[in-house]
Amino acid sequence: MQWYDKIFELIDLRSFSNLWYWLGLSIFWSTVGHWVLGVPHDMIRRAENRDDPHALHDVEALAAIYVRRLLFITRTAGVWLVAGLSFVLSGLGLLAVAYRVEFAQALLCLLLPATVIFLLTLRTARLIEAGDTHGPALLRRLRRHRMVVQIMGMVAIFLTAVFGMYQNMLIGVYG
């Protein structure tokens, strides 16, 4: 047995039957749903409940920092980000669809919805920059964005699970 056979035996590239893939997928969507534009959800809840007098100020400060940072990055390196992301998604799409590489299919099931979430986050950041920067309007915008992210996460996990079960059944029948 060669050394690379041992490595590929240890790292199972059949992603949809791998526990680590599903664990990583759940952690990814949990994290994305918890951090809304750089602001943790518990801080947003505290600012809404007015339990902590400084919570609203902290939420406004964190959101302003993240919005400025995100918009600066996209305005200065946006073309390169789009080009790199297009290259990666196109390559993964080709490997996943034309060559039926399961690892590429699994990554595509993770990165495609993440790209949509990134675009929605960018849209929300632009809306916040345009006017919803303080008080209840900011909290409402952050809550709405979190709800959309969570719905997209549920749909993405469901579709990934259905596709993963289909792949596992195909491998069981033909493998």
Side-chain angles (χ1 to χ4, degrees):
M1 183 180 250
Q2 299 292 330
W3 63 272
Y4 52 83
D5 290 332
K6 290 181 182 179
I7 289 175
F8 284 123
E9 183 179 323
L10 183 64
I11 304 170
D12 185 13
L13 293 179
R14 287 191 43 237
S15 301
F16 295 114
S17 62
N18 193 335
L19 175 66
W20 292 107
Y21 174 74
W22 295 105
L23 189 63
L25 186 76
S26 63
I27 289 171
F28 170 77
W29 283 110
S30 174
T31 304
V32 168
H34 179 71
W35 292 87
V36 181
L37 281 166
V39 182
H41 178 64
D42 60 301
M43 286 186 73
I44 297 170
R45 297 298 296 172
R46 270 188 287 150
E48 288 175 339
N49 294 337
R50 303 184 197 285
D51 294 339
D52 184 2
H54 302 290
L56 182 60
H57 175 68
D58 293 344
V59 168
E60 289 173 351
L62 280 175
I65 290 168
Y66 188 83
V67 164
R68 281 194 309 270
R69 180 176 174 263
L70 180 65
L71 293 178
F72 173 76
I73 290 170
T74 55
R75 288 175 180 149
T76 56
V79 173
W80 292 106
L81 288 172
V82 169
L85 190 61
S86 298
F87 175 76
V88 168
L89 288 177
S90 298
L92 281 176
L94 181 67
L95 288 171
V97 175
Y99 294 107
R100 299 186 196 279
V101 176
E102 186 175 343
F103 188 68
Q105 292 170 343
L107 284 177
L108 198 61
C109 287
L110 182 66
L111 290 179
L112 206 55
T115 303
V116 175
I117 294 298
F118 176 73
L119 293 174
L120 288 173
T121 302
L122 188 59
R123 178 181 169 266
T124 303
R126 287 187 177 148
L127 289 171
I128 289 173
E129 182 189 46
D132 294 339
T133 58
H134 299 292
L138 175 65
L139 296 175
R140 208 172 21 258
R141 178 73 60 196
L142 293 174
R143 262 196 333 267
R144 189 175 305 133
H145 180 69
R146 180 174 190 263
M147 185 181 305
V148 169
V149 167
Q150 285 183 326
I151 290 170
M152 285 205 54
M154 288 187 296
V155 170
I157 289 172
F158 175 76
L159 293 176
T160 301
V162 168
F163 184 74
M165 286 187 284
Y166 174 73
Q167 285 298 109
N168 288 336
M169 288 190 302
L170 274 182
I171 290 171
V173 170
Y174 296 114

